[in-house]
Amino acid sequence: MGVLGRTALRLPVVVRSEQHGRQGSGVMLTTDTVLTCAHVLGPAYSAWVSVPGLHASVLCQVIWSDHRLDAALLQAPKSLAGLVAYRARIGHVATDRPLPGCEILGYPRVQRYEDGRKLESDQYRGTLLPLAGLIRRTMVVELDAPPAAVESDEGSPLAGLSGGPVISGDGLIGIVREVPRGRGHRRVECVPLSALAADADFLVAYTQATGHGFPSLVALTHHSSTDAPYEQEYGEAVAAAYRRTRIFGLDELGRRAADWDLDTAYLSLEATSRAPAAAPVPQRIDDLLASRPRVLLRGDAGAGKTTLVWWLAAHAAAGTLGPRLAELNGLVPFVVPLRALRARGTGFPTPAELPGTAGLMIDAAPDGWAGRVLAEGRALLLVDGLDEVPQEDREAVHGWLSGLLARYPRTRCVATVRPLAVEVDWLGGEGFEELTLLPLRDEDIQAFVTAWHDAARLDAVDEPLDALERDLLQQFRHNPTLADLARTPLLCAVICALHRLRDGFLPETRWALYDSALRLLLGSRDDRRRIDAPDGIRMSVEEHQQLLQRLAAWLVRGGQTEFTREQALHQLNRTLPGMPRVAEQGTPEEILTHLLNRTGLLHERTDSVFQFAHRTFQDFLAAKEFVEDDLVPELLRHARDQQWHDVLLLAAGHCSRRDLPVLVEGLLAAGSGSRDKDLKTTLYVLAALCAQHAAWLTEGLHARVRKAIVSVLPPRTLEQQNTLTRLGAYLLPLLPDPASEAEPRGSSLSLICEIGGAAALPYARAYADATHAFLLAVSWSTFPTEAYAREVLARIPLDIVMLYITERDQLPWVPLLRHAPNVHLHGGFAQAEITEALRDLPLKLLHITDNARLTDLSLLMPFAATLRALSMQRCSSLTDLTALEGLVELQSLQLDGMRLGAEELKVIARVRSLRHLSLHARPDLTTQLDLTPLHSLAGLKVRVEGLAKRQVLGRAPFGDRLTLQP
């Protein structure tokens, strides 16, 4: 168990019933629920709870009490100890033999001082006697030594201990109930937690209070005094070993670019279940794992399987998993990386060998510790890489894993494998449910890029990571092909790292990026991880490519992306005679299985139907085949077919000095012969992009390409604009002069703002006038922050447009723009940041969106005499509107997505200058809206959205000044 769980369990609380003047003890079951004895509270409905020295007294509500069991459950209005996602580990005694080494904690009478006004906790050790209270169904602990005597002989020195936790190892097994007379105060009778786990009313109260079920009880049969301290050390070692992950396979990446902090950068992936009864819709892996004790997780190469294993191990050991996976907090993770076992030549681990399989920096475990953890159901077994052992050994893996789980049936387990390495339901007999990881969505990619850069900032020194992150996000937004390449965490991370390594620039061509990624997947990744021919087949990168590119070219010619096993075998049978070194290593069926399992480039779409994991890889390899087979003319015959455009573009990277001019000239000819302006623009842009691949091309051909691009400038349609944007900085010097009378207003500037970056800055500056002020004001985020503020925004009339602020690194430069009275702030800026940035502006209109950090509007007070219009949209934490009363010039107010009740409307009614009010109610926060408090505002026009007419009261006095939009 991690430090978090151990600390919380050993923080007994003081419980006081003011109504009856009683003081007892208690234990936190979660950070806001406390268990104590019913007799401490009496019939009271509330009690004061505190942790001396850590938290002041908090009035808690009694949500369940049973005087027969002598137990009560309290709920606090806030966390009592500032801990995150803590739940006590609950145990029950599963032996009739004495259980030594138990602990009792609490606040007994003997520890009171300063005339009883102050308390100190105490700690006792004893032996649990399972048969001593068998008939009365109580739990009896005999203390190892008698408690210290008190000066007065009135009552037990242990008075006040009632409700205190009884702990065995790191498991809560009961609470103190009473100290019976006699026996020198050494006998303590307790309420066993197993009795509460069997009480239906308690379970309902606990679930309603916490939002999750009561923890499963851990069976305790014996206890070693060395287990708990070793467990803490083990948890720290696991967290240290697995808190960072690495990107393998690119020689260009240095250690800083390849390593990133897993705690910061983890992204919850999506998966689907193969279970017939499971919902077919994708769900986050956290949600799926929570309700499944045993999971076989399938995923393509680089899909994030190992990262998920590492993340689970580090956070389960530290007890820091969030509410959805809180049941795993405190479990002991045993990570079994099968590739590492094979590299070391060791067999599959016995229970005693499990702590050593991951090679942690820690001493040997106490004898029998791992077995005790497994027997008590406290283990989280994480078996990574079932596919990374040879085919002939996989049945041995199956036998080992099924035998281990049969011996310890309450062990939770996650095993990972590539999609086709083992048959469907391979572990079904052992109770495993199969999950399949899904590709990243666009929003996942955006989140991953942000998280990756957050992790990079932990190690970065004087690096412009904010600007790099913004630039890469921009590229992903406007380059669907790049986004399609980043559908796995591995490739997304590779792109982030290459982008950082090149100070904001990815390889000059897409071809170079894809080539790096292919080399990563087709051999060097396994080489770096020291995986040597797990399928009995070893091929070079080029041999992999030769097989795959013939399959890809066949698919492109047929206009298809899917193929059956029989079709793939047919292509292999045609290719393998020319590759004797590969052919002698296995049959075509075995080689196809190797390609499916090891490359990460092919995956199963449906039963026995396959496709390339990324269409881009299919096109890249097909282009390589066409060029190497001297078939560029065949490519050009398909120039007007959009499905071939990516193949044509990627072919440029494979072309020799002889072939590339043929490709470029062919695209120019196809474009000039087209009457479709959009297609003409597309073909000219393809020609220009292909020309950029050339190490050398005649100046005459370069000039012809530039002339072709100029002929389609400026763009007349949105499609043309989007196509031309692909040229990036290459396009900028070809744009018409801003003074040109023939230029449609703003079309060239739109291109400049879409391209963005330092290269586009001088071109944007040339448009710094009133005509183009709006477009320039909303485009700050695509340019270098400081330079754009000084050279562009400072020169445009911001008094006629709204200044858009979307990035934190823009805030320091806002004071340069003192002529900006209209501001739109988008994002989670803190109040202090906003106040500092806007303090010198003559603010008249303020629009704040998507800010969950603001709780009140006190930041507006410096602008009380100038602010005329305010809009707050999707500010979910905003609850206090009292600052509105001081805005003496406010005429227009818009509130969107917050709770709207009588108190809020009373505050608004005190804004006497208000003339326009727009309220967008969230039905989950506002079920009925009474406009009566607003009747006193003469002439006020009100618009209400999100509520039906019957939900809006007090409508009549407004007449036609009220607009309802359900």
Side-chain angles (χ1 to χ4, degrees):
M1 176 177 287
V3 176
L4 176 68
R6 288 173 52 80
T7 302
L9 189 59
R10 283 166 170 75
L11 281 174
V13 301
V14 177
V15 179
R16 291 187 178 90
S17 174
E18 297 254 338
Q19 182 177 349
H20 299 281
R22 296 170 182 163
Q23 175 256 307
S25 302
V27 60
M28 287 186 287
L29 296 182
T30 65
T31 55
D32 60 356
T33 58
V34 170
L35 184 66
T36 188
C37 281
H39 76 260
V40 171
L41 307 177
Y45 294 103
S46 62
W48 291 96
V49 174
S50 65
V51 184
L54 184 62
H55 206 297
S57 293
V58 175
L59 186 62
C60 299
Q61 181 184 2
V62 179
I63 58 174
W64 171 85
S65 182
D66 188 319
H67 287 271
R68 178 183 56 84
L69 289 172
D70 199 3
L73 186 64
L74 303 165
Q75 184 171 20
K78 60 182 179 179
S79 172
L80 292 169
L83 304 175
V84 179
Y86 161 72
R87 273 201 284 175
R89 185 166 64 85
I90 309 300
H92 74 98
V93 181
T95 180
D96 58 2
R97 297 183 178 182
L99 189 64
C102 295
E103 298 175 75
I104 293 177
L105 306 172
Y107 298 89
R109 175 185 174 202
V110 73
Q111 283 288 82
R112 297 174 186 171
Y113 60 99
E114 292 189 11
D115 297 328
R117 290 181 289 108
K118 293 189 177 181
L119 297 174
E120 177 62 88
S121 61
D122 211 345
Q123 185 172 12
Y124 303 90
R125 295 183 67 85
T127 299
L128 190 145
L129 306 173
L131 298 181
L134 188 63
I135 297 175
R136 291 177 297 148
R137 296 186 178 181
T138 188
M139 188 169 69
V140 176
V141 175
E142 179 145 336
L143 303 184
D144 293 346
V150 291
E151 294 180 2
S152 171
D153 196 32
E154 297 177 2
S156 169
L158 299 182
L161 202 61
S162 294
V166 183
I167 301 167
S168 177
D170 271 338
L172 178 66
I173 58 175
I175 57 172
V176 174
R177 185 173 69 187
E178 67 174 319
V179 179
R181 293 185 178 276
R183 298 182 184 267
H185 307 296
R186 290 184 63 175
R187 281 285 176 103
V188 181
E189 293 189 354
C190 312
V191 180
L193 266 291
S194 57
L196 300 186
D199 187 275
D201 292 337
F202 169 81
L203 296 177
V204 169
Y206 179 90
T207 302
Q208 290 177 342
T210 64
H212 49 70
F214 195 61
S216 299
L217 273 63
V218 175
L220 300 175
T221 57
H222 53 284
H223 170 65
S224 169
S225 61
T226 60
D227 283 2
Y230 182 80
E231 243 171 72
Q232 182 173 358
E233 293 180 20
Y234 181 85
E236 292 168 356
V238 169
Y242 294 115
R243 70 172 181 263
R244 298 183 73 83
T245 189
R246 294 204 63 195
I247 302 168
F248 296 90
L250 289 183
D251 293 334
E252 300 161 285
L253 297 182
R255 177 170 295 276
R256 282 199 309 156
D259 283 19
W260 43 294
D261 187 89
L262 188 57
D263 289 346
T264 303
Y266 173 73
L267 176 69
S268 179
L269 304 170
E270 281 191 324
T272 56
S273 172
R274 284 181 179 262
V281 297
Q283 294 176 264
R284 293 296 168 185
I285 191 68
D286 300 20
D287 296 323
L288 291 166
L289 289 176
S291 58
R292 292 163 173 81
R294 293 182 184 177
V295 167
L296 179 63
L297 182 66
R298 296 181 185 262
D300 293 314
K305 302 184 297 297
T306 297
T307 300
L308 174 64
V309 164
W310 287 25
W311 181 81
L312 283 172
H315 285 277
T320 51
L321 290 167
R324 289 178 293 183
L325 289 174
E327 288 186 3
L328 303 185
N329 282 330
L331 294 185
V332 178
F334 294 121
V335 181
V336 183
L338 290 176
R339 61 175 171 271
L341 296 183
R342 184 169 182 247
R344 292 200 294 263
T346 58
F348 303 116
T350 64
E353 293 169 339
L354 282 174
T357 56
L360 301 176
M361 300 299 290
I362 190 172
D363 292 334
D367 288 344
W369 170 70
R372 288 190 288 277
V373 170
L374 290 161
E376 294 168 4
R378 297 194 295 112
L380 175 62
L381 185 62
L382 301 167
V383 183
D384 190 28
L386 291 171
D387 53 286
E388 293 176 349
V389 297
Q391 181 69 46
E392 61 270 19
D393 292 340
R394 287 181 191 158
E395 283 309 309
V397 176
H398 186 285
W400 163 75
L401 184 55
S402 60
L404 182 66
L405 296 176
R407 172 68 178 83
Y408 302 105
R410 295 195 298 143
T411 300
R412 296 192 69 139
C413 182
V414 176
T416 71
V417 67
R418 293 197 184 178
L420 300 174
V422 297
E423 61 268 22
V424 175
D425 210 28
W426 191 63
L427 288 170
E430 286 68 40
F432 280 75
E433 184 170 334
E434 295 194 2
L435 304 178
T436 300
L437 288 174
L438 299 177
L440 300 181
R441 297 175 181 263
D442 287 345
E443 55 267 31
D444 293 333
I445 293 174
Q446 299 283 317
F448 186 98
V449 171
T450 297
W452 192 97
H453 286 83
D454 287 343
R457 289 184 186 94
L458 299 178
D459 293 329
V461 179
D462 298 327
E463 283 193 77
L465 285 169
D466 289 347
L468 288 171
E469 177 187 345
R470 187 167 60 249
D471 176 72
L472 185 55
L473 289 171
Q474 181 82 355
Q475 291 196 49
F476 275 125
R477 280 192 290 267
H478 297 291
N479 188 343
T481 304
L482 181 64
D484 287 341
L485 186 64
R487 296 301 179 192
T488 67
L490 170 67
L491 289 178
C492 198
V494 167
I495 292 170
C496 291
L498 287 174
H499 184 260
R500 177 188 181 188
L501 186 68
R502 291 172 168 82
D503 295 323
F505 296 93
L506 290 168
E508 292 184 4
T509 63
R510 291 190 308 156
W511 183 92
L513 177 62
Y514 303 150
D515 186 59
S516 295
L518 276 174
R519 291 184 179 279
L520 173 70
L521 293 172
L522 296 180
S524 59
R525 184 166 184 256
D526 277 356
D527 290 343
R528 289 291 182 89
R529 298 197 299 174
R530 300 184 180 181
I531 300 172
D532 184 17
D535 298 306
I537 296 171
R538 183 170 181 82
M539 288 190 281
S540 67
V541 172
E542 182 58 30
E543 286 170 332
H544 277 112
Q545 288 188 349
Q546 287 296 322
L547 291 172
L548 291 169
Q549 69 191 49
R550 285 165 172 76
L551 178 61
W554 171 76
L555 289 170
V556 168
R557 282 193 178 103
Q560 62 192 79
T561 59
E562 298 179 351
F563 57 93
T564 65
R565 182 178 292 273
E566 290 73 22
Q567 290 169 328
L569 289 172
H570 178 69
Q571 298 304 315
L572 288 178
N573 280 317
R574 296 178 59 187
T575 305
L576 285 173
M579 303 177 69
R581 198 190 78 82
V582 175
E584 66 186 15
Q585 296 185 57
T587 65
E589 289 81 1
E590 291 170 337
I591 291 171
L592 176 59
T593 298
H594 169 84
L595 293 174
L596 292 168
N597 280 335
R598 302 310 313 168
T599 66
L601 288 175
L602 304 174
H603 65 74
E604 187 176 20
R605 180 170 177 83
T606 59
D607 290 344
S608 298
V609 177
F610 307 90
Q611 65 179 21
F612 277 85
H614 305 283
R615 173 66 183 270
T616 298
F617 285 143
Q618 175 183 307
D619 292 344
F620 182 93
L621 289 165
K624 184 173 185 289
E625 175 67 12
F626 283 117
V627 172
E628 289 182 354
D629 210 19
D630 201 20
L631 294 173
V632 172
E634 180 183 348
L635 285 174
L636 289 170
R637 285 198 295 271
H638 297 280
R640 295 174 182 270
D641 187 342
Q642 188 175 11
Q643 292 189 0
W644 284 70
H645 286 174
D646 274 351
V647 182
L648 283 157
L649 179 58
L650 292 167
H654 298 288
C655 281
S656 66
R657 176 177 169 180
R658 175 183 59 112
D659 294 323
L660 189 58
V662 176
L663 181 64
V664 174
E665 288 175 345
L667 288 169
L668 290 176
S672 64
S674 175
R675 295 183 179 181
D676 184 328
K677 297 297 183 182
D678 288 342
L679 178 59
K680 180 189 292 288
T681 301
T682 297
L683 292 172
Y684 284 166
V685 167
L686 282 175
L689 290 171
C690 288
Q692 291 178 30
H693 284 280
W696 183 89
L697 204 63
T698 66
E699 173 55 30
L701 188 51
H702 275 303
R704 287 174 56 198
V705 172
R706 290 193 294 267
K707 182 178 179 181
I709 295 298
V710 169
S711 72
V712 292
L713 289 175
R716 263 64 179 181
T717 66
L718 182 60
E719 183 174 345
Q720 285 179 282
Q721 178 177 306
N722 293 337
T723 301
L724 287 163
T725 302
R726 298 177 65 187
L727 291 173
Y730 173 92
L731 182 68
L732 296 172
L734 305 181
L735 291 172
D737 187 283
S740 171
E741 294 182 0
E743 186 208 348
R745 180 166 295 181
S747 57
S748 290
L749 180 57
S750 295
L751 282 172
I752 292 167
C753 293
E754 284 291 317
I755 293 168
L761 185 61
Y763 297 89
R765 186 171 57 238
Y767 284 85
D769 56 36
T771 303
H772 305 98
F774 170 76
L775 190 52
L776 292 169
V778 301
S779 302
W780 193 359
S781 62
T782 65
F783 292 90
T785 305
E786 178 184 0
Y788 193 78
R790 293 184 181 278
E791 300 179 29
V792 178
L793 294 177
R795 300 185 181 193
I796 64 175
L798 289 173
D799 57 318
I800 62 173
V801 293
M802 182 174 288
L803 175 66
Y804 279 72
I805 302 171
T806 59
E807 309 291 340
R808 183 161 279 103
D809 63 349
Q810 294 169 346
L811 294 176
W813 307 108
V814 174
L816 291 176
L817 312 174
R818 298 186 178 182
H819 58 305
N822 312 310
V823 175
H824 184 157
L825 287 160
H826 177 86
F829 304 116
Q831 178 171 309
E833 292 177 309
I834 298 173
T835 301
E836 177 66 18
L838 305 184
R839 68 179 190 276
D840 295 327
L841 301 187
L843 203 60
K844 295 182 180 178
L845 187 157
L846 179 62
H847 191 178
I848 299 179
T849 57
D850 294 295
N851 190 322
R853 301 180 67 178
L854 298 180
T855 58
D856 60 53
L857 297 175
S858 57
L859 64 93
L860 302 177
M861 295 316 298
F863 316 105
T866 61
L867 192 64
R868 296 180 180 177
L870 173 66
S871 175
M872 306 292 296
Q873 293 186 335
R874 299 179 300 280
C875 298
S876 56
S877 299
L878 181 62
T879 56
D880 184 354
L881 302 181
T882 53
L884 290 175
E885 301 176 31
L887 303 180
V888 295
E889 295 294 325
L890 190 66
Q891 298 178 11
S892 176
L893 175 63
Q894 180 180 5
L895 299 175
D896 181 347
M898 64 174 291
R899 180 186 179 278
L900 299 170
E903 293 304 315
E904 288 75 24
L905 294 188
K906 287 177 182 178
V907 172
I908 294 172
R910 291 194 283 271
V911 185
R912 310 310 299 178
S913 57
L914 197 62
R915 295 294 177 265
H916 299 274
L917 175 63
S918 177
L919 304 174
H920 192 159
R922 277 179 50 185
D924 57 326
L925 295 179
T926 305
T927 57
Q928 192 176 69
L929 187 64
D930 188 350
L931 301 178
T932 302
L934 301 176
H935 292 172
S936 60
L937 291 177
L940 178 67
K941 294 183 178 180
V942 179
R943 179 182 181 87
V944 178
E945 298 182 36
L947 295 177
K949 184 176 181 180
R950 58 180 173 76
Q951 295 175 283
V952 182
L953 309 180
R955 303 187 305 271
F958 287 99
D960 59 4
R961 290 185 288 115
L962 174 63
T963 302
L964 299 180
Q965 182 68 47

